[in-house]
Amino acid sequence: MSDPATDGPLVLVVDDEVPIRRFLRALLQADGYRVVEADTGAAALEAAARVLPAIVVLDLGLPDIDGLDVVRRLREWSSTPIVVLSARGREADKVAALDLGADDYLTKPFGAEELRARLRVALRWAARAESDAGEPIVQSGDVSIDLAARRVRVAGREVHLTPTEWNVLSTLARHGGKVVTHRQLLRDAWGDDYVDETHYVRLYMAQLRRKIETDPARPAHVLTEAGVGYRLVVD
């Protein structure tokens, strides 16, 4: 394990591969982050409790504790954003990590700029969740989503949504920039009895896109994460 060296937000990097940790440390410190490293799940859990990082970058393939268990155990006491960075590219692993409480998932090999963007989004939304006294207005290009007033405007024009369409869009907005799994969308929009009815999501997503997208066949606001769920692009 290593100690922080700069003055920015503190990132806990958890990976058992030295070259990956070395690369991430250089990348993150160049962006002004402080970095703490851990090479096992046990060390990660200890470090998270000790240094209280602003965000965790977590590999799933750890030598002692599976990364999914690390996510689960962190979520028992912490809401710190978790970005999974893993060689496991199976949809089942992505869904499991996100359903357990990870905020995002990138598959190795990954692009440095994409990682930077995902970290910025996760940190921005964590800060907003702490500071907002009320519910925010979420902006995605020309789409404005007022969570408190339950209103949606596209290019300044108010768009009427059905209650279910609103539930779907507001769930995505409250997790703006993050992947929301089919199961989470179904639970939040329809309830626990509907978590296996994935065709509901496809049907209502098509309806929603017809109302808010310029070209529903090539969506710019609500993006599909194949086999996993959906992500609302936020400004």
Side-chain angles (χ1 to χ4, degrees), residues 138-145 152-155 169 212-213 221:
V138 179
Q139 198 72 31
S140 175
D142 62 356
V143 177
S144 177
I145 305 160
V152 179
R153 288 182 171 85
V154 178
L169 184 59
I212 69 170
E213 298 282 0
H221 303 295

Side-chain angles (χ1 to χ4, degrees), residues 31-71:
D31 287 346
Y33 293 101
R34 293 177 292 153
V35 178
V36 166
E37 301 173 18
D39 58 2
T40 66
L45 293 168
E46 185 277 330
R50 177 172 58 86
V51 304
L52 300 177
I55 192 166
V56 177
V57 177
L58 174 68
D59 182 27
L60 295 184
L62 301 173
D64 58 341
I65 303 172
D66 189 272
L68 294 175
D69 289 326
V70 175
V71 174

Side-chain angles (χ1 to χ4, degrees), residues 2-235:
S2 58
D3 293 320
T6 62
D7 298 322
L10 180 58
V11 182
L12 172 58
V13 173
V14 186
D15 200 301
D16 64 334
E17 297 182 54
V18 173
I20 294 291
R21 294 204 311 274
R22 186 180 298 125
F23 170 76
L24 289 173
R25 168 176 282 276
L27 177 71
L28 295 169
Q29 287 186 339
D31 287 346
Y33 293 101
R34 293 177 292 153
V35 178
V36 166
E37 301 173 18
D39 58 2
T40 66
L45 293 168
E46 185 277 330
R50 177 172 58 86
V51 304
L52 300 177
I55 192 166
V56 177
V57 177
L58 174 68
D59 182 27
L60 295 184
L62 301 173
D64 58 341
I65 303 172
D66 189 272
L68 294 175
D69 289 326
V70 175
V71 174
R72 182 185 297 107
R73 289 166 65 173
L74 284 174
R75 281 292 171 260
E76 290 175 355
W77 62 273
S78 173
S79 60
T80 298
I82 301 171
V83 175
V84 170
L85 195 62
S86 178
R88 297 183 192 174
R90 295 186 309 162
E91 292 172 359
D93 290 313
K94 295 179 182 180
V95 170
L98 294 164
D99 277 341
L100 284 169
D103 294 83
D104 215 333
Y105 194 115
L106 282 175
T107 303
K108 296 177 182 176
F110 58 92
E113 290 307 315
E114 185 175 14
L115 175 61
R116 286 182 167 119
R118 301 288 180 89
L119 292 176
R120 287 194 299 268
V121 167
L123 287 169
R124 184 166 69 244
W125 279 82
R128 185 174 294 178
E130 288 186 4
S131 64
D132 278 335
E135 294 185 284
I137 294 177
V138 179
Q139 198 72 31
S140 175
D142 62 356
V143 177
S144 177
I145 305 160
D146 188 331
L147 292 171
R150 297 174 64 92
R151 288 180 178 171
V152 179
R153 288 182 171 85
V154 178
R157 175 179 57 85
E158 188 162 347
V159 174
H160 173 73
L161 300 183
T162 68
T164 301
E165 289 167 352
W166 169 257
N167 288 344
V168 171
L169 184 59
S170 63
T171 297
L172 292 169
R174 289 190 177 93
H175 298 83
K178 303 176 187 177
V179 180
V180 182
T181 66
H182 297 116
R183 190 177 186 86
Q184 184 174 356
L185 270 173
L186 285 160
R187 185 170 55 242
D188 290 358
W190 283 273
D192 289 336
D193 293 338
Y194 295 86
V195 294
D196 296 319
E197 307 293 339
T198 54
H199 63 284
Y200 282 20
V201 178
R202 290 192 296 271
L203 173 64
Y204 278 90
M205 194 60 66
Q207 294 178 190
L208 182 61
R209 281 171 166 162
R210 283 196 290 270
K211 293 183 177 182
I212 69 170
E213 298 282 0
T214 302
D215 182 355
R218 292 186 292 179
H221 303 295
V222 179
L223 306 184
T224 300
E225 297 284 339
V228 179
Y230 298 90
R231 180 197 306 271
L232 177 70
V233 176
V234 295
D235 297 346

